[in-house]
Amino acid sequence: MKYEDIKKLFEEEAIINNVRKLIYDNPDVPFWQHLEEHRREQIERNESGELPRQVMNMAIWNLIHTKRDLNMYVKHGMKPTRAWKVSHVKNYFGITGTGQKLLDRFMEIFEAVEPLYIGEKQ
C-alpha cells in the first residue's frame, strides 16, 4: 500500500468516527434516524437487485438547507421564511444554544457528515 492510500484510509476512518460519536451522543434525534432510514433503504434496494433510484436523502436535504437558513439567521438576523423557527432546527438536529454557539454546534454536525454524503464521489 502506498503512503497516500494509507493516509486516505486513516482520514476516512477519522470522519466515520466523528459521525459515530455524534450519533452515540444523541441516537434518538430525527436527523440521525432519517439518515439511517435512507441508508437501510439503499442497502435493501441493492440486495434485492432493484435498479438504483437517484433519490435525495431527506436528512441531507434538510442539512444543506438548514446550513443556509441558520447562517442567514445568525449572521444577518433574518428568518428565511415567516414560519421558520430556531426550535425546529434544535429539535431536528438535537442541538442546543443560541446565536453563534448554535451555529457552531450545527456546523460540527455538517462538517462530520459532509465528506460522507455531500462531498464529491470518486
Side-chain angles (χ1 to χ4, degrees):
M1 244 183 177
K2 295 180 183 176
Y3 172 75
E4 292 82 23
D5 295 336
I6 294 171
K7 183 179 176 185
K8 185 177 179 182
L9 185 64
F10 279 116
E11 288 171 355
E12 290 172 356
E13 189 65 31
I15 291 168
I16 291 169
N17 285 335
N18 286 342
V19 171
R20 280 188 185 134
K21 181 191 176 300
L22 290 169
I23 292 171
Y24 292 143
D25 288 347
N26 269 327
D28 297 327
V29 172
F31 173 71
W32 298 118
Q33 291 173 350
H34 291 153
L35 205 59
E36 181 63 16
E37 285 171 14
H38 183 76
R39 188 184 70 81
R40 286 186 185 146
E41 288 172 8
Q42 296 292 53
I43 290 171
E44 288 172 9
R45 200 171 286 125
N46 289 340
E47 288 175 352
S48 69
E50 192 177 321
L51 289 174
R53 295 182 331 186
Q54 294 298 323
V55 178
M56 181 67 169
N57 185 332
M58 185 174 76
I60 298 303
W61 176 268
N62 288 335
L63 184 76
I64 293 167
H65 286 270
T66 301
K67 179 183 179 199
R68 175 200 65 194
D69 297 346
L70 200 53
N71 269 308
M72 183 174 16
Y73 180 75
V74 171
K75 293 182 180 178
H76 303 289
M78 293 174 49
K79 287 172 58 172
T81 66
R82 184 173 22 172
W84 187 87
K85 292 185 177 185
V86 175
S87 61
H88 295 161
V89 172
K90 291 179 179 183
N91 293 335
Y92 187 73
F93 291 98
I95 53 180
T96 58
T98 58
Q100 190 62 44
K101 285 194 179 234
L102 180 66
L103 181 60
D104 292 342
R105 289 184 179 129
F106 172 79
M107 289 307 294
E108 182 182 336
I109 294 170
F110 184 87
E111 290 168 359
V113 172
E114 190 260 343
L116 296 173
Y117 290 94
I118 302 170
E120 291 183 35
K121 303 283 185 201
Q122 293 183 2

